Amino acid sequence: MTRRSQVVWWLRGAALAALLVYLPGYFSSRQGGLVEVERWLNHPVLLLGTAIALAVASAVAQFEFRTRWAQIGCAAVLSPLLVIGAGVGTVAYIFGGDGRLVDRKPDPNRSDHVLRVTDIAFSIDPVYRVELLTGSGWSARHWGLGTWEEGDGFVRAEWSAPGRITVTLREEIEVFTVDEDGTLGGPSVTPRSRQPL
């Protein structure tokens, strides 16, 4: 095997590794996924971008550029793309985290069931994500109750009783029940006009 072929296969292997690292993070972002695995590995811009960049680099490395001008031209095209990609990936990793914590409340009867509200917006207009966290450490799982923008009229999310979460919006109230194992039931939705202010 020539040195060029070795480089091509190393680049392809690294691209596959980046993709395989991202997959557990993606699956953990779904209902009931592991909180820590999602936090560490669910970075699609960084990891998928790296996989794509390495795959493109492996395809380019396969070509044999016989003249010096062909080599310079290829480097002139690829270098800015790699720099821009690395910059976008780094910014996405730094600012694409869990969002700003707005509120965190444990169930009155169970400290291992926690209601968490985060502002996940990239702009000044808030976007509220409401989640139930169950368990602790690396075994902690998350269950999404919903995501509401400012225009949806989000007011608050709270434990209205042990094992029951109430999300209050401007127009309606949504009530979720929490089973012993941490899975969610509901919501039952009631128009807010029928509720006392």
Side-chain angles (χ1 to χ4, degrees):
M1 183 180 284
T2 66
R3 182 175 175 82
R4 181 188 303 277
S5 298
Q6 288 177 339
V7 169
V8 167
W9 284 108
W10 274 105
L11 289 170
R12 288 179 181 169
L16 180 61
L19 178 63
L20 292 176
V21 166
Y22 167 67
L23 286 177
Y26 168 75
F27 288 115
S28 291
S29 70
R30 304 162 103 182
Q31 287 284 60
L34 295 168
V35 174
E36 290 298 316
V37 173
E38 180 194 15
R39 186 166 73 87
W40 285 98
L41 301 180
N42 188 28
H43 299 285
V45 174
L46 179 64
L47 293 172
L48 291 181
T50 299
I52 291 169
L54 290 170
V56 169
S58 74
V60 171
Q62 259 185 317
F63 296 115
E64 186 174 344
F65 297 102
R66 295 184 184 276
T67 67
R68 186 150 187 83
W69 285 109
Q71 294 170 356
I72 292 171
C74 179
V77 170
L78 286 181
S79 297
L81 293 177
L82 292 175
V83 170
I84 291 169
V88 169
T90 303
V91 168
Y93 183 79
I94 292 170
F95 295 105
D98 296 331
R100 181 182 61 85
L101 182 65
V102 175
D103 199 4
R104 182 181 170 90
K105 301 173 185 171
D107 183 319
N109 286 358
R110 295 199 54 166
S111 61
D112 63 336
H113 288 181
V114 176
L115 178 63
R116 181 174 72 178
V117 181
T118 51
D119 178 7
I120 58 171
F122 288 110
S123 64
I124 58 172
D125 297 326
V127 177
Y128 298 104
R129 179 173 61 195
V130 181
E131 292 180 299
L132 170 67
L133 306 180
T134 61
S136 62
W138 283 95
S139 64
R141 296 186 176 275
H142 65 97
W143 308 88
L145 283 76
T147 302
W148 292 274
E149 297 182 15
E150 186 178 30
D152 298 324
F154 178 82
V155 178
R156 66 181 170 272
E158 60 189 350
W159 293 99
S160 50
R164 189 170 73 186
I165 298 170
T166 299
V167 177
T168 305
L169 306 173
R170 186 185 312 115
E171 301 293 330
E172 62 188 24
I173 292 177
E174 299 184 9
V175 178
F176 299 82
T177 56
V178 182
D179 295 335
E180 285 296 314
D181 64 354
T183 56
L184 286 172
S188 64
V189 179
T190 306
R192 182 98 188 268
S193 56
R194 297 180 189 170
Q195 298 291 326
L197 296 176

